[in-house]
Amino acid sequence: MPFNIYLTGDAGECVTTYVNINDLEVDTYCSPASFRNDLEPTIAAIKHTLKSYLSYPFRIEEPTKIEIGKNKFICIVEKRNGRFMLNGKSMTKEILLTSLAKTIYLSTTTTEPIVLFNKLYEAIDLPENVTFALENRVPYHWFENYEKIKVSLNVIQISNKECAIEISDNIWANISMKDLNTFMNHYRLGHKRGSWKMLSPAKLWFRLMGEKPTDTQLSLMKEFLKQNRTQDIVEERAEQLLNDMLEQYSDKLKLVVKVNKNDRQERHIYVRGKLADWLLVEGTAKRGYQLVRTFMFIEGVEGASNTFQDGCWDGPICIDNLNDNSSVGDQFATRAIALMNDNIMLKRVNTLSRRLRDREINQEEIRIDFNAL
């Protein structure tokens, strides 16, 4: 009776491991589909499953033995005087569940207890929020003239227990891992509890620097923060990634800018896959699961409206992002990479496999002329 974890995608594939809680082998399926808006949908799905299995032990506050993986790596979980403990170490419930979930997920690829041990304590010592901050910057926002200003702050780790945040130009302030985790709980996850919430730039400066900012310092701080607006940074990185891909794979990707019927410029990216040729067309929406439309090049069909060269475009084909907050550049880049390797994506995206399965057996020979673009 395995612990089954579905992989992201719609192919229905899953990986398995062994989990035993208080001598009860867990036989379940975890699906990330219901957690597509989480940063790590698979980890969120495992946490949700663990929460249901551990609700009774937490309620009666008795030690719980958890065995993970083929070689039965053991963890002891308990709730003592209202505090959550993992192998004798005190932590929040969120960190406990995240640490166990990451260890369980890793056990699908390794049976070595020492590897699982290292992953467990890495997740405990460096909470998910802190890891996110170090990899993606620290989210922060405040309100000014009824406008919500969302920015991202630079952060570096300076010791095992401390980080430093850049709150103004070349002005860094120390913050403990614990406080940073609480800060992220509010500004990343939207939690309402904790002392690091709803801070204006002036209050943030005071909390980090221990003194009130002067008017000049506050003005410079706000201007610096506004130069680091989250959405601007995300879109800039995505566009840079897309431009790098167009340059690196110039034999497989071709960008053409066209004017649509509404006199609006839209980008068309032609993609050479291993099984077919594809077209990615920029949409008009700013946010959503499908900001980029996908088409497959097929033989000419009588009466078809999407004719092109000696064939036509079949589509648009439904390909959803896992979440709805990625930029157009990100969606262009991820789809281009996927379609260049369409032979692999057939196993992951059901809508692609259906299209190719229903097409001519000589589909690999039906190609557009890149030189004529």
Side-chain angles (χ1 to χ4, degrees), residues 246 249-258 267-273 277-281 295 297 308-309 313 332 336 339-340 368-370 372-373:
L246 289 168
Y249 300 105
S250 57
D251 57 329
K252 297 179 180 179
L253 300 175
K254 179 76 172 181
L255 170 64
V256 177
V257 179
K258 297 186 177 183
R267 288 175 290 180
H268 291 216
I269 295 182
Y270 298 87
V271 183
R272 173 135 297 167
D277 284 346
W278 309 86
L279 171 64
L280 301 173
V281 180
F295 300 83
F297 189 65
F308 183 79
Q309 294 184 359
W313 295 112
F332 261 131
L339 295 175
M340 284 193 293
I368 62 176
D369 183 359
F370 264 54
L373 296 175

Side-chain angles (χ1 to χ4, degrees), residues 114 139 262 264 268 282 303 319 348 356 366:
I114 188 62
N262 297 320
R264 176 182 175 274
H268 291 216
E282 185 173 7
I319 303 177
R348 303 283 185 185
L356 282 170
I366 305 172

Side-chain angles (χ1 to χ4, degrees), residues 136-200:
N136 301 282
R137 299 192 180 193
V138 175
Y140 169 65
H141 65 260
W142 78 96
F143 292 88
E144 188 171 279
N145 296 325
Y146 303 102
E147 178 190 3
K148 185 177 183 179
I149 301 175
K150 299 171 67 175
V151 301
S152 297
L153 309 178
N154 288 323
V155 61
I156 57 174
Q157 184 176 353
I158 58 177
S159 73
N160 290 335
K161 295 185 178 181
E162 270 195 320
C163 290
I165 297 179
E166 188 177 23
I167 58 173
S168 191
D169 190 21
N170 284 324
I171 296 179
W172 295 79
N174 293 8
I175 185 170
S176 69
M177 295 275 193
K178 182 179 179 181
D179 286 343
L180 179 57
N181 186 52
T182 305
F183 184 96
M184 295 285 288
N185 278 338
H186 176 69
Y187 286 102
R188 178 194 169 206
L189 302 178
H191 294 181
K192 303 302 181 184
R193 299 176 63 182
S195 60
W196 291 83
K197 64 179 186 296
M198 295 182 286
L199 299 174
S200 66

Side-chain angles (χ1 to χ4, degrees), residues 206-224:
F206 179 75
R207 289 294 303 272
L208 291 172
M209 305 297 289
E211 59 184 16
K212 293 182 178 180
T214 64
D215 291 343
T216 301
Q217 287 173 329
L218 183 58
S219 177
L220 290 173
M221 177 186 184
K222 288 183 178 181
E223 291 306 312
F224 171 79

Side-chain angles (χ1 to χ4, degrees), residues 92-110:
T92 65
K93 184 179 181 181
E94 182 69 18
I95 293 176
L96 184 149
L97 291 172
T98 300
S99 303
L100 289 173
K102 289 186 174 183
T103 306
I104 289 172
Y105 191 41
L106 181 62
S107 71
T108 64
T109 60
T110 181

